[in-house]
Amino acid sequence: MPLTQGTMTNPNADRVRRIAELTRAKTRRKVGRMLVEAPQAVREAVTFHPERVEDVYIAIDEDGNTVSARAAEIAAYIMGHKDECGGIYVHYVTQRVMDAISGDAQGIAAVASTKGMAGRLADFAAGGDNDVDGRRGPLTIAAFWQVRDPGNAGTVIRTADAAGADAVVFVDDCVDPLGPKVVRSTAGSLFHIPVLRASVDELFAWNADHNASVLAADVRGTGDLKPVPLPELLAAEPKDDAHTSRSILFGNEARGLDDDILERCDGIVSIPIYGKAESLNLATSAAVLLYSLAMSSHVGKM
């Protein structure tokens, strides 16, 4: 772990300004770097993809003590794993410098390369040739069309990761998955699961090329394609290893999925509403549906 000498004290330094500018998508694209804020996200980046992490910034107080105990643990981890983390530079900074870098850092932030992140779905392997964490076989892809809210985007990435999905795909005009608020909202899951991009046509082409189906989450369906209630879908799920690869497609937070997209899907599933609420928000719908399908595939019929 290369440890820089001295403490960074100037919040107006060019280096600090360049880091802070990583909050802008245009800057991230130009320099190929992203900002990772807060202990959870930095820890997962360092643990799962240390080769992408270039610099870690840790705030210290006037007595030279690390402001965050969790940040100190991350520094100790980097120090103890020199083979994996030898390329990470650790910088200690004053609180004023940290505030200039990010108001959401909670004592630690990192700069990481965006290489290999948020790539294209077309480049993602599938089926028997795919190897995700040592697993082979049919895939579950969580796809989100025109998700615009950074908090929602981060939450659905975290949910897909927890439910065991093999990848997340942001379809068409979505929020940048490498933006700081999205990264924070994933709580580190961005570094566990591939997050990819695709157009609508690319999504359907990829599924067709890999003999995978597209299942839309929608409450109304179309004139020709009506939704199947989730309990009925789960009851019809195969109990053995007969599952095939599929993409679960969720729509925009405000208007769902357009009819022309729904009509291209292989099926539609709806989540029953048993109370008086009109609907569920995107993050909740993704959690209910992805977890229900995951549990069904893991333990058989529910």
Side-chain angles (χ1 to χ4, degrees):
M1 175 190 75
L3 180 62
T4 57
Q5 298 297 314
T7 300
M8 293 175 58
T9 60
N10 183 4
N12 299 313
D14 287 343
R15 184 188 189 99
V16 175
R17 176 184 53 79
R18 289 194 298 269
I19 299 168
E21 287 179 350
L22 293 175
T23 58
R24 301 169 55 195
K26 181 178 180 180
T27 301
R28 291 193 296 274
R29 290 192 296 269
K30 180 179 179 180
V31 303
R33 304 291 183 273
M34 60 185 286
L35 181 63
V36 184
E37 304 162 301
Q40 180 82 3
V42 175
R43 183 188 68 190
E44 298 307 286
V46 166
T47 301
F48 287 88
H49 286 286
E51 76 284 357
R52 291 179 179 159
V53 181
E54 299 176 354
D55 298 275
V56 172
Y57 299 87
I58 298 175
I60 58 175
D61 61 23
E62 294 179 354
D63 296 322
N65 299 313
T66 304
V67 172
S68 165
R70 296 178 67 191
E73 292 172 359
I74 295 169
Y77 177 89
I78 296 172
M79 179 68 76
H81 294 76
K82 294 181 180 180
D83 288 345
E84 300 91 340
C85 303
I88 300 175
Y89 284 80
V90 176
H91 312 261
Y92 288 99
V93 306
T94 64
Q95 187 60 55
R96 289 183 64 215
V97 170
M98 184 59 75
D99 290 342
I101 289 174
S102 166
D104 298 291
Q106 301 174 37
I108 187 169
V111 172
S113 170
T114 60
K115 184 178 180 180
M117 302 189 71
R120 304 302 301 184
L121 173 62
D123 299 324
F124 184 62
D129 294 331
N130 184 65
D131 188 352
V132 180
D133 292 337
R135 303 191 312 275
R136 291 180 180 272
L139 303 180
T140 296
I141 306 296
F144 299 91
W145 179 70
Q146 293 195 1
V147 57
R148 300 290 174 78
D149 182 81
N152 275 341
T155 300
V156 297
I157 292 171
R158 184 178 183 182
T159 297
D161 176 26
D166 297 291
V168 171
V169 180
F170 282 4
V171 183
D172 279 354
D173 185 17
C174 293
V175 66
D176 183 0
L178 304 184
K181 187 173 182 179
V182 179
V183 177
R184 288 197 311 273
S185 298
T186 71
S189 287
L190 181 69
F191 303 102
H192 302 164
I193 182 172
V195 177
L196 310 164
R197 305 177 200 247
S199 67
V200 165
D201 289 342
E202 288 170 339
L203 175 71
F204 283 98
W206 184 92
N207 281 273
D209 289 345
H210 297 93
N211 297 315
S213 60
V214 179
L215 178 66
D218 188 79
V219 297
R220 55 184 175 80
T222 68
D224 297 325
L225 193 59
K226 298 300 181 182
V228 176
L230 179 57
E232 293 184 21
L233 179 72
L234 296 176
E237 285 280 279
K239 293 188 291 183
D240 50 25
D241 294 330
H243 295 276
T244 58
S245 295
R246 63 185 168 191
S247 293
I248 316 300
L249 179 60
F250 299 86
N252 173 266
E253 294 98 332
R255 66 181 190 276
L257 291 162
D258 289 348
D259 283 356
D260 60 339
I261 296 176
L262 290 171
E263 290 169 356
R264 298 175 67 177
C265 295
D266 298 291
I268 302 175
V269 60
S270 63
I271 300 172
I273 301 293
Y274 298 115
K276 294 182 175 60
E278 180 182 1
S279 62
L280 298 172
N281 66 24
L282 173 62
T284 302
S285 297
V288 170
L289 187 48
L290 293 174
Y291 254 97
S292 295
L293 295 171
M295 288 188 287
S296 179
S297 65
H298 281 81
V299 299
K301 283 189 176 181
M302 298 182 65

